[in-house]
Amino acid sequence: MLNVADILETIGMIREENLDIRTITMGISLLDCVSDDAGRLCDKVYDKITRKAEHLVETGIAIEREYGIPIVNKRVSVTPVSLIGGAISPEGYLKLAHTLQRAASTLGINFIGGYSALVHKGMTPGERNLISVIPEALAETQNVCSSVNVATTKAGINMDAIRLMGSTIKRAAYLTRDNDSIGCAKLVVFANVPEDNPFMAGAFHGVGEPDTVINVGVSGPGVVSAAIRRAGDVDLSGLADVIKKTAFKITRVGQLVASEAARRLDVPFGIIDLSLAPTPAIGDSVARILEEMGLECCGAHGTTAALAMLNDAVKKGGVMASSHVGGLSGAFIPVSEDEGMIAAVERGALSLEKLEAMTAVCSVGLDMIAIPGDVSEEIICGIIADEISIGVANTKTTAVRVIPAYGKKEGDAVSFGGLLGTAPVMSVRPYSPAKFISRGGRVPAPIHSLKN
């Protein structure tokens, strides 16, 4: 039963510590929209998305007003379009991207995810057609997000797909060069991608999901920072307990919103993603949590250990607060979206290599990282391959969202506004992995994948 103290504490979290529901995401299956005619396919896709999500935004706004809980984004994720487009032409896939944008504009949502392909073991001609127009699709739309899964622990790593994504990212950067290469901020390369993730740019509606579903992502780095600050000089066991209890409270707020949204929309409740997703706002930073735990600066020796502890405690606390936890769940470290991360990079404490080490113990991967625009495709492929290997070897999701900012060099900055924030352009090792990447083929699955 709620008491006055609980209510007042929640109000304080919202007003003073940046607690919010980061997203309500409606997943919509498009498997029943399949057609070998691109025009017919697009018509069916638009009709289903706009019919199913017709009341998503107004419902989110109503819940926000009634409960006083900020809901930052209302989003839609759909079946990976490569699964419904089949072997339609590249032009057909580009038309489908414009259809998704038209649906997003009609609904008034923030993003639509699912312009995606799953190619961890190989590529069909249709998937190649889709990937070939991802740069144009992201340049010509505003709200469409794309993802490509290139590896799983069970299948190994599709290096041919990674090589293709290196050139795709470079072209996306060039085609959106007049806007700080923002196209790359809407494109994620995954290993072990989850099928119920509500967060963009990697959200899509998995094939094992129901026809429609509501997934909610909660966020509260500021709340966790404040709780650690209030706890004072407790030992690490006590600190973990503080984080767990705080994560429990944050997730209960998400559970309330998710259940209410599902009831009002008459859609099944899917999962709560209890990730600590930062924003560029002061006081809403995962990096600042690590510093509250005792680091002089995020990136100092000890950062990976502190992040591992934080991630574990968040999951342990959150999983007790909801019967259905999924997505990514843990702590995100997107550089441009976290003012503490930005400060650490500018201070010289946080490098690409240190971020890579941190991704071995957190929720996702190398996220929203700007690099010089003249970095070669092969080096981008190497960055992707390194990060994807961490995911495959550790049986976890990892991802890469790098932005080779056209015309920018180390020390410059790119600015996207809103939640995407501002990213300092980071240095990249100049040594080429070109011969390794050019070998192509598939890196075999690790031995521990043989669990059947």
Side-chain angles (χ1 to χ4, degrees):
M1 179 180 295
L2 290 176
N3 58 42
V4 172
D6 290 333
I7 294 170
L8 291 175
E9 182 180 33
T10 303
I11 291 171
M13 290 177 179
I14 294 168
R15 289 184 175 177
E16 300 170 17
E17 298 166 5
N18 297 302
L19 173 63
D20 60 50
I21 301 300
R22 186 54 46 84
T23 178
I24 294 178
T25 301
M26 177 180 282
I28 302 173
S29 174
L30 300 181
L31 292 176
D32 55 354
C33 296
V34 172
S35 174
D36 58 4
D37 176 82
R40 178 64 178 146
L41 173 65
C42 290
D43 289 342
K44 293 170 74 173
V45 165
Y46 177 82
D47 289 345
K48 183 163 188 182
I49 293 172
T50 53
R51 174 166 44 86
K52 291 291 186 178
E54 179 181 5
H55 302 294
L56 176 63
V57 171
E58 65 184 66
T59 298
I61 292 171
I63 293 172
E64 185 175 19
R65 287 174 177 169
E66 290 177 31
Y67 289 90
I69 301 169
I71 300 173
V72 179
N73 280 295
K74 295 85 179 174
R75 300 165 171 170
V76 166
S77 64
V78 299
T79 304
V81 297
S82 67
L83 299 181
I84 63 165
I88 63 172
S89 66
E91 293 76 20
Y93 274 112
L94 190 55
K95 183 176 182 180
L96 189 52
H98 286 281
T99 299
L100 295 178
Q101 177 60 53
R102 187 160 59 95
S105 298
T106 298
L107 295 170
I109 57 176
N110 302 96
F111 289 108
I112 185 165
Y115 199 73
S116 306
L118 310 177
V119 296
H120 39 274
K121 207 170 183 180
M123 284 179 280
T124 65
E127 287 162 341
R128 286 186 180 275
N129 288 346
L130 168 67
I131 292 172
S132 73
V133 295
I134 285 176
E136 287 78 11
L138 298 179
E140 296 173 15
T141 63
Q142 182 177 357
N143 306 104
V144 174
C145 292
S146 180
S147 60
V148 178
N149 192 70
V150 299
T152 67
T153 299
K154 279 286 188 182
I157 303 171
N158 186 345
M159 290 299 294
D160 293 326
I162 287 180
R163 185 164 54 177
L164 192 55
M165 291 312 298
S167 63
T168 299
I169 290 168
K170 284 286 282 188
R171 281 204 300 124
Y174 177 76
L175 291 178
T176 55
R177 61 193 181 280
D178 294 334
N179 196 8
D180 280 344
S181 298
I182 194 173
C184 300
K186 300 184 291 176
L187 174 59
V188 188
V189 183
F190 272 111
N192 294 319
V193 65
E195 297 190 351
D196 55 4
N197 167 29
F199 287 102
M200 299 295 171
F204 66 83
H205 188 69
V207 296
E209 298 287 312
D211 192 52
T212 53
V213 70
I214 288 291
N215 297 321
V216 167
V218 298
S219 184
V223 178
V224 175
S225 285
I228 293 172
R229 191 159 51 248
R230 287 192 297 268
D233 293 328
V234 298
D235 67 14
L236 292 177
S237 296
L239 197 61
D241 197 45
V242 168
I243 296 168
K244 284 191 292 185
K245 290 177 179 177
T246 306
F248 178 89
K249 294 172 184 176
I250 293 170
T251 308
R252 290 304 290 171
V253 174
Q255 177 77 21
L256 169 66
V257 171
S259 300
E260 189 64 14
R263 182 186 68 81
R264 296 187 187 195
L265 291 165
D266 194 24
V267 171
F269 160 55
I271 57 96
I272 297 289
D273 186 317
L274 49 94
S275 296
L276 294 180
T279 73
I282 301 298
D284 201 26
S285 161
V286 170
R288 299 304 185 195
I289 296 176
L290 303 177
E291 291 167 2
E292 287 290 348
M293 292 171 72
L295 302 174
E296 180 181 357
C297 181
C298 179
H301 296 296
T303 296
T304 305
L307 182 59
M309 176 183 152
L310 171 65
N311 210 52
D312 180 68
V314 166
K315 291 185 177 184
K316 286 176 177 174
V319 79
M320 293 295 293
S322 174
S323 54
H324 299 290
V325 172
L328 295 164
S329 292
F332 286 2
I333 52 171
V335 173
S336 78
E337 299 172 16
D338 187 312
E339 61 84 17
M341 294 282 177
I342 295 169
V345 171
E346 292 175 340
R347 191 174 177 180
L350 195 58
S351 66
L352 193 59
E353 290 76 19
K354 184 61 177 177
L355 283 164
E356 184 180 293
M358 293 164 66
T359 64
V361 299
C362 73
S363 287
V364 61
L366 295 173
D367 197 17
M368 289 302 291
I369 294 171
I371 58 178
D374 60 0
V375 169
S376 70
E377 290 180 15
E378 292 80 11
I379 289 178
I380 292 173
C381 291
I383 293 170
I384 296 171
D386 283 346
E387 184 60 32
I388 294 306
S389 297
I390 290 173
V392 169
N394 290 283
T395 320
K396 71 183 293 291
T397 300
T398 53
V400 176
R401 189 162 45 149
V402 294
I403 303 145
Y406 189 83
K408 303 284 186 176
K409 61 183 185 303
E410 180 186 349
D412 292 339
V414 293
S415 181
F416 306 119
L419 289 177
L420 296 178
T422 300
V425 177
M426 300 181 69
S427 65
V428 174
R429 294 184 183 274
Y431 310 106
S432 176
K435 185 174 180 180
F436 174 70
I437 298 299
S438 68
R439 290 179 182 273
R442 192 152 50 95
V443 175
I447 187 66
H448 59 260
S449 69
L450 300 176
K451 294 182 178 180
N452 288 340

